[in-house]
């Protein structure tokens, strides 16, 4: 069990207790524990397993909580949570996930209006019953209505990175079955889509039944939804659905092609086959009754005169047009990345020192990193003022004299203020190597205003890039109402970079935004926004999103050396 999973359990307990109207101190104790665990660099599971160590050494974790964590880690479940869940109406959990609602308000809705499902909540908002409740009002009602869409999706889909955890786990499990010859993940997961609805696996096995039995025996399985001779669907305890199909080796490529999708890509492909007098399905490509391809994806596509599209491009956008013109882009790869230009350290809300971050980045093969701690407006995390920032930069100068094989750049993530303008004066920004300007406050402003703020930031000569340009948080928060085209034009005209924030919750720019940037000739930087050394590992999520946007290594700025980057910045 990962720290993240354990932390989520304690958050859920806190939510449920709060929903029940429990003692606020008790609620806070669980929330604090959740946060402590979430931010812990060491693995809680390992601490539990180690008789020499105790969880009670950590802030906010007493005897009772330490015991609960132990139970959770050792058995994979927690009776206390099960009890709470049994007491709460199941659909209320969905309501708890509506952004801007929270357990207290959810409890009031349940008590006063008998609202226990998302549909009932939507109706109550539309009938304007919610605004009259004490502590709600018209604005809240509108916000809830918007939040329901987000929650709806959050109940149906999970983040790609979370899916990746399950996929790796299931692949490893299936490889332990001696009857399994090939096991592979397909579907939206393989296409690298930012959120995933369910998991699709294909298996080639000497004995399909044995393979299905083996999957059913996985410890995370809750129940079998359906099972036939060659296919099975089951539900994991997390609620995630898993589809497994057994196919013959000679059809494996055709099945991979078919079940990787997307549906629209497949529809287009069928059209192509027809035009050539061929038929394509999950078993192969056929001329009349005769199969002419099927064992590998390459030969399936080749039989239709097409290149084997990288899965990330299979969305029926422009991939067929590119293939026809012979200009299918050679997509950027993780190994192309040379630098990371957005990260935080202990100077603000990061968990590691600058040196630790730099050393970890070097280990990942990077040549340069920019430390971009928050500016003072982000007071919650102790954002830096001019004085502290200059002190940090002086330390970076010293550090660079000692470090070998990696350059640490003096950066900052400067806030774009609510009223417009930047959170630090120009003379300070002028001393930085790299300046990311981001919106964190005033996200609810009308589109015109936010767009103006961002464009003005790009007109500042010291700003290098715009951080997480749309502010969306997957399954949590919609983007600000920003006019991205206007922003792209300004980026082009002012020679600024646009960030693709690689954090798996953000992935902002998204794939379409990346393609838009490329269309405008705007360079994209893929940055992790890491708050810990592990966070640097999210670069792969950013690269995957860039690939979905059709970007090549050349389209991504930080595939270059820092010397080349400086020239792009007009600073050499
Ligand atoms: P998801 O699960 O919502 O994130 O998205 P997918 O793309 O994984 O969709 P899923 O799991 O329903 O189906 C997996 C793939 O199987 C899909 O990408 C394409 C293929 N497929 C499924 N149903 C159909 C269909 O009715 N027609 C075609 N052409 N392909 C289909
Ligand atoms: Ca799927
Ligand atoms: Ca599926
Ligand atoms: Zn930020």
């Amino acid at each position: 069990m990962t720290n993240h999973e354990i932390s989520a359990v304690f958050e859920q307990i806190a939510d449920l207790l709060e929903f029940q109207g429990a003692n606020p101190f008790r609620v806070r104790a669980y929330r604090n524990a959740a946060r402590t665990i979430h931010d812990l660099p060491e693995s809680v599971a390992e601490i539990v397993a180690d008789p020499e160590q105790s969880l009670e050494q950590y802030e906010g974790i007493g005897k009772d909580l330490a015991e609960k964590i132990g139970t959770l880690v050792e058995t994979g479940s927690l009776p206390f949570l099960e009890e709470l869940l049994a007491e709460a109406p199941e659909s209320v959990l969905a309501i708890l996930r509506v952004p801007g609602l929270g357990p207290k308000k959810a409890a009031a809705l349940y008590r006063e209006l008998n609202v226990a499902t998302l549909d009932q909540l939507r109706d109550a908002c539309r009938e304007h019953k919610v605004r009259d409740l004490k502590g709600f009002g018209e604005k809240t009602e509108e916000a809830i209505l918007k939040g329901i869409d987000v929650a709806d999706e959050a109940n149906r889909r999970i983040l790609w990175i979370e899916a990746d955890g399950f996929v790796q786990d299931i692949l490893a499990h299936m490889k332990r079955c001696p009857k399994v010859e090939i096991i592979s993940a397909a579907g939206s997961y393989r296409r690298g889509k930012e959120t995933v609805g369910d998991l699709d696996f294909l298996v080639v096995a000497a004995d399909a039944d044995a393979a299905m039995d083996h999957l059913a025996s996985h410890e995370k399985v809750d129940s079998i939804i359906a099972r036939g001779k060659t296919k099975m669907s089951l539900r994991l305890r997390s609620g995630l659905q898993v589809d497994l199909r057994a196919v013959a080796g000679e059809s494996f490529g055709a099945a991979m092609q078919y079940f990787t999708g997307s549906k629209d890509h497949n529809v287009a492909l069928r059209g192509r086959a027809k035009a050539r007098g061929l038929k394509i399905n999950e078993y192969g490509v056929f001329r009349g009754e005769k199969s002419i391809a099927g064992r590998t994806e390459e030969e399936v596509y080749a039989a239709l005169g097409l290149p084997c599209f990288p899965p990330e491009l299979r969305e029926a956008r422009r991939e067929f047009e590119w293939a026809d013109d012979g200009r299918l882009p050679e997509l950027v790869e993780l190994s192309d990345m040379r630098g990371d230009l957005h990260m935080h350290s202990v100077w603000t809300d990061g968990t590691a020192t600058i040196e630790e971050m730099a050393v970890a980045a070097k280990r990942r093969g990077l040549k340069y990193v920019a430390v971009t701690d928050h500016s003072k407006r982000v007071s919650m995390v102790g954002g830096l003022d001019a004085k502290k920032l200059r002190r940090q930069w002086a330390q970076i100068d010293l550090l660079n004299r000692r470090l070998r094989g990696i350059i640490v750049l003096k950066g900052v993530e400067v806030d774009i203020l609510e009223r417009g303008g930047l959170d630090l004066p120009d003379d300070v920004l002028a001393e930085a190597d790299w300046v990311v300007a981001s919106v964190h406050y005033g996200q609810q402003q009308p589109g015109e205003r936010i767009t103006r703020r961002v464009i003005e930031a790009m007109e500042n000569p010291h700003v290098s890039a715009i951080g997480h340009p749309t502010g969306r948080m997957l399954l949590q928060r919609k983007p600000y109402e920003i006019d991205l085209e206007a922003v792209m034009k300004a980026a082009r005209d002012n020679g600024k970079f646009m960030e693709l924030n690689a954090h798996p919750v953000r992935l902002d720019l998204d794939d379409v935004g990346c393609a838009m940037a490329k269309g405008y000739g705007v360079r994209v930087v893929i940055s992790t926004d890491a708050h810990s050394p592990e966070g640097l590992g999210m670069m792969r999520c950013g690269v995957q999103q860039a690939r979905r946007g059709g970007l090549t290594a050349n389209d991504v700025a930080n595939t270059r050396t820092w010397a080349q980057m400086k020239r792009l910045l007009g600073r050499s």
Side-chain angles (χ1 to χ4, degrees):
M1 211 170 212
T2 66
N3 288 7
H4 199 88
E5 288 167 328
I6 299 169
S7 160
V9 167
F10 282 87
E11 277 292 348
Q12 193 175 29
I13 290 176
D15 283 349
L16 289 166
L17 284 173
E18 199 169 359
F19 178 80
Q20 290 187 342
N23 179 335
F25 290 105
R26 207 160 154 233
V27 175
R28 182 133 13 107
Y30 282 100
R31 283 213 201 288
N32 286 344
R35 176 129 51 105
T36 301
I37 293 164
H38 184 272
D39 293 346
L40 216 57
E42 300 91 29
S43 153
V44 168
E46 276 170 31
I47 298 170
V48 169
D50 181 354
E52 303 277 293
Q53 289 197 68
S54 159
L55 283 168
E56 290 176 53
Q57 63 184 297
Y58 297 102
E59 171 133 357
I61 299 185
K63 187 153 173 284
D64 174 59
L65 280 173
E67 268 175 29
K68 286 203 170 73
I69 296 169
T71 310
L72 187 58
V73 169
E74 278 157 17
T75 67
S77 66
L78 193 58
F80 179 53
L81 175 61
E82 306 297 328
E83 280 164 35
L84 286 173
L85 283 170
E87 286 163 20
E90 187 163 345
S91 46
V92 161
L93 295 178
I95 293 181
L96 288 174
R97 293 175 79 165
V98 175
L101 200 49
K104 259 204 216 101
K105 285 209 168 79
L109 287 164
Y110 183 62
R111 243 184 1 249
E112 309 284 331
L113 299 176
N114 235 337
V115 162
T117 68
L118 282 183
D119 285 337
Q120 289 169 352
L121 181 57
R122 192 181 273 122
D123 291 345
C125 286
R126 288 200 179 131
E127 290 159 20
H128 301 316
K129 286 182 185 156
V130 172
R131 61 176 64 171
D132 296 333
L133 290 185
K134 198 169 151 238
F136 281 72
E138 203 175 320
K139 269 243 163 71
T140 312
E141 190 177 80
E142 278 166 24
I144 292 174
L145 216 37
K146 264 196 199 167
I148 291 174
D149 290 342
V150 179
D152 242 352
E153 189 165 32
N155 288 317
R156 283 184 286 108
R157 305 185 69 80
I158 60 172
L159 295 176
W160 183 89
I161 190 79
E162 203 186 326
D164 186 47
F166 288 114
V167 166
Q168 299 310 330
D169 195 5
I170 290 171
L171 288 177
H173 173 77
M174 292 304 285
K175 281 177 186 157
R176 285 195 287 272
C177 173
K179 301 286 184 199
V180 166
E181 289 156 25
I182 309 177
I183 175 79
S184 192
S188 54
Y189 166 80
R190 182 166 179 241
R191 301 199 309 280
K193 207 171 152 159
E194 59 202 25
T195 64
V196 169
D198 68 10
L199 302 183
D200 306 281
F201 289 93
L202 293 178
V203 65
V204 177
D207 177 349
D209 264 316
M212 289 193 271
D213 285 344
H214 191 77
L215 179 61
S217 76
H218 191 287
E219 55 166 16
K220 287 188 180 158
V221 170
D222 174 72
S223 55
I224 310 292
I225 299 168
R227 180 168 172 169
K229 261 184 138 117
T230 58
K231 60 183 183 183
M232 171 161 78
S233 288
L234 46 79
R235 193 163 304 287
L236 301 183
R237 275 195 268 122
S238 74
L240 184 65
Q241 181 174 327
V242 177
D243 296 339
L244 175 75
R245 267 165 207 271
V247 300
E250 70 254 28
S251 298
F252 179 69
M256 277 300 277
Q257 192 294 310
Y258 183 87
F259 291 107
T260 295
S262 66
K263 229 174 259 182
D264 292 339
H265 176 90
N266 288 354
V267 169
L269 205 61
R270 266 204 303 276
R272 295 241 157 185
K274 221 179 205 170
R276 293 179 162 238
L278 301 172
K279 199 179 87 190
I280 179 170
N281 57 29
E282 63 262 52
Y283 302 105
V285 181
F286 297 86
R287 175 170 288 124
E289 296 295 299
K290 188 174 178 296
S291 166
I292 59 168
R295 186 168 287 276
T296 68
E297 270 192 324
E298 282 80 8
E299 69 177 45
V300 166
Y301 278 109
L304 302 176
L306 289 164
C308 186
F309 295 101
E312 294 95 329
L313 287 183
R314 302 183 194 174
E315 297 291 345
R317 288 178 184 153
R318 300 184 61 192
E319 67 270 24
F320 291 103
E321 173 195 329
W322 287 333
D324 289 341
D325 299 348
R327 26 179 212 104
L328 196 65
E330 200 167 304
L331 301 180
V332 60
E333 289 175 16
L334 182 59
S335 57
D336 293 325
M337 303 311 299
R338 283 219 173 98
D340 190 344
L341 293 164
H342 186 159
M343 67 189 60
H344 299 266
S345 75
V346 285
W347 284 74
T348 57
D349 54 348
T351 62
T353 65
I354 296 174
E355 180 163 3
E356 285 164 348
M357 293 301 280
V359 169
K362 183 181 160 183
R363 231 178 264 136
R364 291 183 180 275
L366 297 184
K367 299 294 181 198
Y368 56 93
V369 292
V371 176
T372 53
D373 274 312
H374 288 289
S375 63
K376 61 184 186 299
R377 175 66 184 85
V378 191
S379 48
M380 234 167 37
V381 302
L384 309 178
D385 59 15
K387 206 169 135 203
K388 276 200 188 137
L389 198 53
R390 283 183 165 128
R391 212 161 69 220
Q392 185 195 58
W393 290 345
Q395 287 208 2
I396 290 177
D397 281 335
L398 291 177
L399 183 60
N400 275 321
R401 279 194 228 153
R402 279 196 289 121
L403 286 177
R404 292 286 165 263
I406 185 128
I407 307 171
V408 181
L409 302 166
K410 291 177 275 190
V412 64
E413 180 177 15
V414 64
D415 248 66
I416 300 174
L417 300 172
E418 292 98 311
R419 58 166 194 278
L422 299 175
D423 192 24
L424 287 165
D426 277 6
D427 64 315
V428 179
L429 298 180
E431 293 168 26
D433 297 309
W434 178 259
V435 175
V436 183
S438 307
V439 168
H440 291 117
Y441 298 91
Q443 300 191 18
Q444 310 297 333
Q445 288 174 1
E448 253 167 72
R449 230 171 118 195
I450 295 197
T451 307
R452 181 104 295 276
R453 284 163 67 197
V454 170
I455 290 176
E456 269 172 23
M458 284 191 282
E459 286 164 0
N460 182 304
H462 309 299
V463 167
S464 321
I466 298 298
H468 41 77
T470 77
R472 64 100 176 249
M473 307 266 265
L474 286 162
L475 310 180
Q476 294 174 30
R477 195 162 79 198
K478 298 214 162 160
Y480 351 111
E481 290 176 359
I482 196 166
D483 178 348
L484 204 52
E485 300 223 8
V487 168
M488 291 295 175
K489 278 184 202 151
R492 176 195 62 200
D493 295 345
N494 291 286
K496 303 299 181 189
F497 300 82
M498 291 296 271
E499 179 178 275
L500 190 188
N501 190 297
H503 193 290
V505 172
R506 290 194 180 271
L507 293 170
D508 177 15
L509 301 174
D510 68 4
D511 45 357
V512 176
C514 287
M516 192 193 285
K518 180 171 178 163
Y520 278 98
V522 170
R523 288 196 194 78
V524 172
V525 284
I526 309 179
S527 305
T528 61
D529 199 354
H531 287 66
S532 67
E534 299 78 62
L536 296 168
M538 295 304 108
M539 186 60 90
R540 66 192 177 113
C541 300
V543 169
Q544 185 159 262
Q545 186 79 320
R547 290 170 63 86
R548 288 177 58 80
L551 301 193
T552 64
N554 188 52
D555 300 325
V556 176
N558 50 326
T559 58
R560 291 170 178 71
T561 64
W562 178 241
Q564 290 168 327
M565 282 291 283
K566 268 208 298 210
R567 242 169 279 140
L568 289 183
L569 283 162
R571 286 198 188 176
S572 60

